[in-house]
Amino acid sequence: MTALSALLSHWRRHPLQLALLLLGLALATALWSGVQAINAEARAAYARAASVLGQDRLDRLVGPLTVARYAELRRAGWPVSPVLEGRAGGLRVLGIEPLTLPREAAVSGLPALAEAGALLAGEVALVHPETLGAEALAGLELLASDGIPPGTVLADIGLAERLLDRRGEISALILDPARPLPGPVPPDLRLQKPAPEDGLARLTDSFHLNLTAFGFLAFAVGIFITHSAVGLAFEQRRPVFRTLRSLGVSARGLAGLVLLELLALALVAGVAGVVLGYAVAAALLPDVAATLGGLYGAPVPGGLELRAEWGAAGIGMALAGTLVAAAGGLWQVWRLPILASAQPRAWGRANARARAAQAVAGLGLWGMAGLALGLGSGLWAGFAVLAGLLLGAALLLPAVLAGLLALAGRGARSILAEWFWADTRQQLPGLSLALMALLLAVAANVGVGTMVASFRATFTGWLDQRLASELYLTAPDPATARAMRDWLQPRVAAILPIVEVEQEFGGQPGSVYGLVDHATYRENWPLLSASPEVWDRVRDGGGLLVNEQMARRQGLALGDEVDLPGGILPVVGVYSDYGNPSPQVILGLTAFRARYPDVAELRFALRLPADEVERLAADLRARFGLGEEAVVDQAGIKGFSLQVFERTFAVTAALNALTLGVAGLAMLASLLTLAGLRLPQLAPVWAMGLTRGRLARLDLLRTLVLAALTALLALPLGLALAWVLLAVVNVEAFGWRLPMRVFPGDWLVLVLAALAAALVAGALPALRLARTTPAAMLRVFANER
Amino acid sequence: MLVVDDIHKSYPTAEGPVPVLSGVSLGLAAGESLALTGESGSGKSTLLHLAAALDRPDQGGITLAGTPLAGLDDAGLARLRRDRIGIVFQQFNLIPSLTVAANLAFQARLAGRHDPDWTAELTGSLGLEGLERRYPDELSGGQQQRVAIGRALAGRPGLILADEPTGNLDEATGAAVLGLMLGLVAETGAALLMVTHSERLAARLDRRLHLRAGRLA
């Protein structure tokens, strides 16, 4: 106990160092556990969506189904329960028959309601609490249930028929697994097995993997702070360790005490980090929910639930991270020779010796990244390339900086400049971890910033091509659609029907579109590659277009064939289709009608002079009683698309900014801790005629020079990172490849931000140095530490 | 060269200020050497630090080469140290990031008085040839102290202050190093104030003063 209090007395005497250690670890844990909280919330939402009515585990009968056919099957002893599914007013409507619904398909809150007869009466619908205010449900009695995904309405099939305006229809029949089937599946129907995996979870995997990667990067930067603070605290306490050993504390006992102390600190920081992480997640979740909803149609609630598993995981990560960060120090304590003299610079020299080994390891990691790039495949290979690239660069940084500083020193004319460069080089071991953190943070900012900016530039141009028509219409039914066409004919330059049907491609849900032959498409459609006379061939039904993600995922090239109802067709063009993760095929309108004769023409794109758009939209709404969503102008769609886009990257931008902040904190932690160790090196220079103020200014300049060099080195690394994100990770995650565009103005801003972070981090230690009393300086000469 | 007039200095402690020097006066002419002896805590190092313009007295005045230190600000004191004073510390206090050659010439170059011939002569006289490209942590204690002496003399300052310059060396090495220092100081014509515990070393200087509890005995 006495030995432990001797160890802990260090922190009492260095409260700022303790605060920085705890803050670094807490921030790292917060960012990590915040991201995990967001992921856990989203995955729980997907699981909820997938498990509604047992879709993830119950067999279904599908085919041409009506109420009469259902009654016939029930009479023949089939244990089936009807489901009507569709979309209305932007909501997913699920109609069920509570009395025949298998127990395995039950939803929380449903049995009690069914028993009460509320659902049966056809007046009550179950919705998620966030969906209670939906306009489309006005006039209905709504009951809230957390078991229903947001944006979904669960109602009796009779009420669902009314809401969807599909009387007498049935989408599928759920089979009760507890009862045997009376015979083979009738030939007009098809047995549909539960989906082997949840489509939403699969689609959004890459998004969550991206978030996890950034969370881990932030955690790694935080662990750099911890490593730096713990390492220097070990060094400062080396004499105390030796004294304790010489007084009879065993090596094992001493290492155990240090371990106990570290775990206690990690526990405190971990708990604080989890609380902070909850706040980060709660702040970011609405944006993430909007992104997932906009990009993937994933129903994720904007509110956060407290989940014990990510709290425990956060504290576990804090403990594990601390142990990793302190492993080297603990090993040194274990092996500490009692009689060796205490030298503060021993740590620095050991680090300098390790520099070459680190550089070799860094080159090795780059080699591994190259191998993963050349030989690997899939998203994990992409992340392996990223990890190898970033970690390798971080390990190489001290050697590269040492080389640059040596070069600068060789060019120095005055002795002060010579000393400045030599001394800066000597500070590298103590600062290298913080500088590595800065390198990673700036590179991540450059890389992700370049990716987002490339995406934005390409996306905006692509939207202009893709949304060439001035107005987009959706009719409520075929009769209105016909009436609208007749009315529009003399009023617009062109009416371009858009027909769509859902279709699976390679096991993935996708869609087939039919487009009319028109100059709008011929002149604007964003084709990445095309056969000669591509539009003539599409018009004549001699070929089809596929989107880039379908071409990449299924390995389709021009001339390859795609199997569709009504026969195979060759691919004659590939087009970019950003923002959509699903496969998509485009046919000529005639070919589409031949293959999908039952699909009604409800949507149109209209060509007309831009100054007439507003008036025509108002006339259409007034004449046909259309809602806001039924008549959308080009600007509105573009605005919405860009909004989805901005939200998608809002989270990434927030994490990036936090990572840069954490890196700044790492620098502050290192500089403050080094400040005490530096006095013996600075005092002789002061004694020989430099003022404390000038020394402080030089110290600040040193920090800025190191930060500037690191930020400049981070630029090519960031561009390499951007390339990997655009050319490898995005292609694997989303199926599209974007051209890389560079924005040097953004780099300048980032370098200035890094310098500002370094200035803030270096200001306090410099101020302290400027205010160091002569008495404190003189203690260096009286009693060398 | 150096006039110390009735100086007082105390250090603050939890129990209140503790006086270290109480009314000390002395004078040192150019070319003269003076040994300052006394028990531990008698105020020797404090007096040397005040004379070196590293700290200010609470009371009394110090004049160096005709310049009263009391009238100088921080920058003025720094300039004075750079141009007029050479200091040799017990712990050597070389700059670890610079080579022997750079350490030797450091203060002289800082003051703009670097004389390559004189530095080369010092290097030879101090037996440091062949060590110029080494770093301080690659030298023995005696070698490090010889570099420190060379550094103090390289700018040909008017006043050399030495705080236990041989305190960290064994007796034979200490005697040799002191001999070198005295010879070179005499060669430059500088005044020397040396703090030492050793009566034997003190006897090798022109004059000797003894401090006891902050006063000259």
Side-chain angles (χ1 to χ4, degrees):
Chain A
M1 205 57 212
T2 314
L4 186 61
S5 57
L7 284 177
L8 291 176
S9 65
H10 172 83
W11 301 113
R12 277 201 301 275
R13 289 188 58 206
H14 299 88
L16 193 61
Q17 196 180 354
L18 175 65
L20 282 168
L21 170 65
L22 291 176
L23 193 62
L25 196 53
L27 272 181
T29 311
L31 292 178
W32 169 259
S33 61
V35 164
Q36 291 313 307
I38 290 171
N39 284 347
E41 194 63 46
R43 292 209 170 100
Y46 307 150
R48 210 159 44 212
S51 68
V52 170
L53 303 184
Q55 286 166 96
D56 56 342
R57 43 189 197 282
L58 297 183
D59 289 351
R60 295 170 160 223
L61 287 180
V62 291
L65 285 166
T66 58
V67 173
R69 182 78 176 104
Y70 161 61
E72 195 183 311
L73 288 166
R74 287 289 298 188
R75 280 196 297 277
W78 283 83
V80 289
S81 181
V83 176
L84 176 61
E85 194 173 353
R87 295 194 71 83
L91 300 171
R92 179 188 179 204
V93 178
L94 278 174
I96 54 162
E97 193 180 72
L99 287 178
T100 55
L101 195 68
R103 199 168 13 175
E104 289 76 5
V107 178
S108 67
L110 188 62
L113 273 171
E115 279 163 25
L119 272 186
L120 286 174
E123 296 306 326
V124 175
L126 276 178
V127 291
H128 188 272
E130 286 184 8
T131 316
L132 281 172
E135 265 181 44
L137 302 176
L140 289 179
E141 188 182 336
L142 300 175
L143 287 172
S145 167
D146 283 331
I148 308 283
T152 297
V153 184
L154 187 72
D156 178 74
I157 196 161
L159 178 56
E161 280 181 351
R162 291 211 309 274
L163 287 171
L164 294 168
D165 197 17
R166 287 164 60 185
R167 291 178 198 283
E169 286 186 33
I170 288 175
S171 306
L173 294 170
I174 299 176
L175 286 164
D176 188 344
R179 291 169 55 194
L181 303 185
V185 175
D188 60 325
L189 300 178
R190 191 162 49 84
L191 184 70
Q192 192 178 61
K193 290 282 177 193
E197 61 172 318
D198 174 43
L200 265 186
R202 189 159 43 86
L203 272 181
T204 53
D205 256 357
S206 51
F207 180 86
H208 293 296
L209 196 56
N210 269 315
L211 268 188
T212 304
F214 277 106
F216 192 74
L217 179 66
F219 184 78
V221 170
I223 291 304
F224 278 139
I225 303 179
T226 310
H227 182 94
S228 175
V230 168
L232 285 164
F234 276 7
E235 190 49 46
Q236 287 170 327
R237 291 192 293 180
R238 199 179 279 263
V240 178
F241 294 156
R242 286 211 169 88
T243 306
L244 288 173
R245 290 278 286 111
S246 64
L247 291 175
V249 179
S250 67
R252 181 184 293 184
L254 183 62
L257 285 173
V258 174
L259 184 64
L260 191 69
E261 172 201 64
L262 281 174
L263 290 179
L265 290 174
L267 195 63
V268 171
V271 171
V274 166
V275 174
L276 204 59
Y278 182 81
V280 168
L284 294 180
L285 193 61
D287 268 344
V288 174
T291 298
L292 290 167
L295 202 56
Y296 304 100
V300 178
L304 189 65
E305 273 181 44
L306 266 177
R307 289 173 200 281
E309 64 264 26
W310 66 257
I315 292 172
M317 281 296 280
L319 292 173
T322 307
L323 287 180
V324 169
L330 278 170
W331 176 252
Q332 282 180 19
V333 171
W334 184 279
R335 308 284 298 171
L336 188 75
I338 301 176
L339 291 177
S341 63
Q343 286 185 42
R345 286 190 299 274
W347 180 76
R349 277 207 297 271
N351 267 280
R353 278 197 299 275
R355 196 182 293 151
Q358 271 184 25
V360 171
L363 287 173
L365 278 169
W366 274 9
M368 280 167 57
L371 282 178
L373 185 65
L375 307 175
S377 65
L379 203 52
W380 286 106
F383 278 104
V385 175
L386 282 185
L389 181 72
L390 290 176
L391 282 177
L395 289 175
L396 276 164
L397 180 70
V400 174
L401 282 178
L404 289 174
L405 293 172
L407 269 179
R410 250 174 251 162
R413 299 260 172 97
S414 74
I415 188 69
L416 203 56
E418 207 176 303
W419 169 73
F420 176 83
W421 294 114
D423 189 58
T424 305
R425 220 169 122 204
Q426 206 188 27
Q427 301 316 310
L428 268 184
L431 284 172
S432 61
L433 281 166
L435 292 170
M436 285 180 194
L438 185 69
L439 178 87
L440 293 183
V442 175
N445 273 276
V446 171
V448 176
T450 302
M451 180 188 76
V452 174
S454 298
F455 201 171
R456 185 180 285 118
T458 310
F459 190 65
T460 314
W462 172 81
L463 274 179
D464 288 339
Q465 289 179 305
R466 186 75 184 255
L467 300 174
S469 298
E470 284 73 23
L471 207 56
Y472 293 84
L473 277 187
T474 306
D477 52 68
T480 315
R482 275 191 299 277
M484 283 163 71
R485 282 192 75 148
D486 294 342
W487 185 81
L488 283 166
Q489 205 70 54
R491 291 175 170 82
V492 296
I495 301 172
L496 311 174
I498 303 168
V499 281
E500 179 199 359
V501 65
E502 289 184 4
Q503 169 109 28
E504 278 200 359
F505 293 102
Q508 275 193 295
S511 47
V512 181
Y513 278 80
L515 295 185
V516 70
D517 182 34
H518 193 266
T520 301
Y521 301 123
R522 286 179 176 258
E523 289 165 10
N524 294 300
W525 200 254
L527 287 171
L528 297 171
S529 60
S531 305
E533 277 115 32
V534 53
W535 290 106
D536 292 345
R537 292 181 70 182
V538 170
R539 179 196 58 203
D540 299 339
L544 50 76
L545 307 176
V546 296
N547 66 0
E548 185 188 3
Q549 38 277 52
M550 178 165 168
R552 286 190 187 277
R553 290 208 179 108
Q554 300 187 18
L556 294 173
L558 296 179
D560 290 346
E561 290 173 332
V562 175
D563 195 5
L564 287 175
I568 54 173
L569 276 179
V571 175
V572 293
V574 178
Y575 59 94
S576 55
D577 188 17
Y578 308 123
N580 167 31
S582 310
Q584 197 179 81
V585 162
I586 286 177
L587 295 174
L589 191 60
T590 314
F592 184 93
R593 281 179 181 148
R595 287 159 193 265
Y596 305 98
D598 299 332
V599 176
E601 276 182 21
L602 297 175
R603 291 172 63 199
F604 308 97
L606 305 180
R607 299 308 310 265
L608 67 158
D611 56 355
E612 291 175 20
V613 168
E614 204 173 322
R615 188 181 47 78
L616 186 75
D619 289 352
L620 271 167
R621 286 196 188 101
R623 185 172 183 85
F624 296 97
L626 300 174
E628 285 297 317
E629 287 179 7
V631 185
V632 186
D633 62 21
Q634 189 194 75
I637 300 180
K638 279 182 186 168
F640 173 75
S641 305
L642 287 172
Q643 194 187 350
V644 169
F645 173 86
E646 295 298 343
R647 285 202 156 207
T648 302
F649 291 105
V651 178
T652 313
L655 283 177
N656 261 343
L658 284 171
T659 308
L660 198 59
V662 173
L665 199 64
M667 285 202 78
L668 178 63
S670 298
L671 289 171
L672 281 178
T673 321
L674 275 179
L677 296 174
R678 274 182 58 62
L679 270 190
Q681 294 152 27
L682 295 176
V685 185
W686 167 73
M688 281 184 282
L690 249 63
T691 61
R692 287 161 290 164
R694 190 157 184 209
L695 282 174
R697 286 194 295 278
L698 285 172
D699 237 30
L700 190 59
L701 181 64
R702 175 178 294 112
T703 306
L704 288 175
V705 164
L706 286 173
L709 286 175
T710 304
L712 289 175
L713 289 170
L715 291 181
L717 179 65
L719 290 178
L721 173 68
W723 183 83
V724 175
L725 285 171
L726 288 168
V728 182
V729 175
N730 268 359
V731 173
E732 293 294 344
F734 301 108
W736 62 67
R737 180 170 178 170
L738 295 159
M740 185 163 143
R741 305 197 186 182
V742 291
F743 299 88
D746 292 354
W747 306 345
L748 182 68
V749 171
L750 257 175
V751 170
L752 290 177
L755 286 180
L759 188 68
V760 171
L764 182 60
L767 199 65
R768 280 178 152 196
L769 176 59
R771 291 183 176 170
T772 304
T773 60
M777 289 288 210
L778 289 171
R779 274 199 289 275
V780 170
F781 306 121
N783 178 24
E784 174 87 331
R785 277 168 289 177
Chain B
M1 171 56 63
L2 174 70
V3 178
V4 175
D5 181 21
D6 189 27
I7 57 168
H8 295 252
K9 181 74 181 174
S10 59
Y11 286 115
T13 66
E15 289 78 34
V18 173
V20 182
L21 294 173
S22 309
V24 174
S25 301
L26 62 85
L28 187 62
E32 189 184 12
S33 64
L34 171 66
L36 198 57
T37 58
E39 305 295 316
S40 291
S42 60
K44 307 185 296 292
S45 290
T46 301
L47 178 56
L48 185 117
H49 293 154
L50 293 173
L54 291 168
D55 205 353
R56 293 176 188 274
D58 299 335
Q59 199 183 315
I62 299 173
T63 305
L64 183 63
T67 307
L69 303 193
L72 298 176
D73 61 5
D74 216 30
L77 290 178
R79 207 162 33 244
L80 193 80
R81 289 198 298 271
R82 190 182 64 202
D83 297 343
R84 305 265 183 186
I85 303 170
I87 312 176
V88 183
F89 298 105
Q90 180 180 353
Q91 308 289 346
F92 328 133
N93 293 100
L94 299 178
I95 297 171
S97 53
L98 295 180
T99 60
V100 165
N103 262 289
L104 263 175
F106 188 86
Q107 191 173 358
R109 288 177 67 186
L110 211 56
R113 291 147 66 127
H114 179 46
D115 176 352
D117 293 338
W118 170 232
T119 307
E121 192 183 327
L122 277 174
T123 306
S125 307
L126 291 163
L128 296 171
E129 295 111 326
L131 303 177
E132 293 94 331
R133 296 175 70 86
R134 289 201 191 172
Y135 285 87
D137 62 358
E138 296 168 329
L139 302 179
S140 69
Q143 287 170 330
Q144 287 192 54
Q145 193 58 301
R146 279 184 273 154
V147 177
I149 291 167
R151 179 177 69 183
L153 290 166
R156 295 183 186 272
L159 176 65
I160 301 288
L161 298 166
D163 189 2
E164 302 272 12
T166 58
N168 257 12
L169 305 175
D170 63 70
E171 200 169 331
T173 311
V177 166
L178 184 69
L180 271 174
M181 186 172 80
L182 291 177
L184 287 167
V185 169
E187 195 180 331
T188 59
L192 170 68
L193 174 62
M194 184 176 85
V195 164
T196 179
H197 270 110
S198 166
E199 299 289 336
R200 194 171 48 77
L201 293 182
R204 295 176 66 177
L205 271 64
D206 299 339
R207 278 200 298 143
R208 184 184 140 189
L209 288 172
H210 189 77
L211 265 176
R212 184 171 297 133
R215 294 172 190 277
L216 285 174

